[in-house]
Amino acid sequence: MIEKPLTPADVDFVTTLHGDDQVSFVVLMQPRGAQDILLRAIDDVALGEFDDAVREGEEPEGSRAEASAEQALAHTLAALRDAGAEATGKLVERHPLDLLRSMVEETGADEVIVLTTPHFVEEFFHRDWASRARHKVGVPVLKLFSHAPDDPAQATEG
């Protein structure tokens, strides 16, 4: 599960986690939603990124964020494939953890990687994706922090 397109550093890291073993990825990406604007702003303040906190309301969300998320997902899948991994993916419309669980069951996944930016409020209360997924998917969940830039356009230029 990802929130932003993977950077080259992210791709290198996840594709080399298992040495020379052939790996495949099913990437799930959820477009930004209005439900987490406040949490994102609090996280920005906690990180000292006050300008980002102020701009949270300007970010596209819901259906307007889908086109951006589709582009970010396509960029991520291409980068994983360029690194030699098999990769498929889909946007998450609703209930990301239910979809994650069904994808784990459907594909026989050995583990789940949640690549995210820090979310202090959610993590403190164990409401972040990784913490919640650990109780739902039945396989090990590895939580990694992304190196993704804040501007999705920067990640897709290239």
Side-chain angles (χ1 to χ4, degrees), residues 52-150:
D52 291 342
V54 172
R55 287 194 299 268
E56 281 298 342
E58 299 170 7
E59 292 288 327
E61 56 194 44
S63 61
R64 293 184 347 198
E66 285 182 27
S68 176
E70 286 175 2
Q71 182 181 16
L73 179 60
H75 168 78
T76 294
L77 295 176
L80 289 167
R81 291 176 188 139
D82 289 347
E86 294 179 27
T88 61
K90 72 186 316 182
L91 291 183
V92 178
E93 293 180 21
R94 295 186 183 264
H95 310 293
L97 295 175
D98 291 339
L99 178 59
L100 179 62
R101 181 178 56 206
S102 70
M103 294 306 300
V104 166
E105 293 169 357
E106 186 179 309
T107 63
D110 295 322
E111 71 180 346
V112 167
I113 298 172
V114 176
L115 195 67
T116 183
T117 55
H119 297 291
F120 296 114
V121 175
E122 292 175 344
E123 290 170 22
F124 180 78
F125 291 106
H126 303 284
R127 300 301 302 155
D128 59 297
W129 281 354
S131 295
R132 292 169 44 208
R134 286 185 180 104
H135 301 286
K136 204 155 184 126
V137 297
V139 297
V141 175
L142 177 61
K143 179 176 166 181
L144 303 173
F145 288 112
S146 173
H147 295 90
D150 291 332

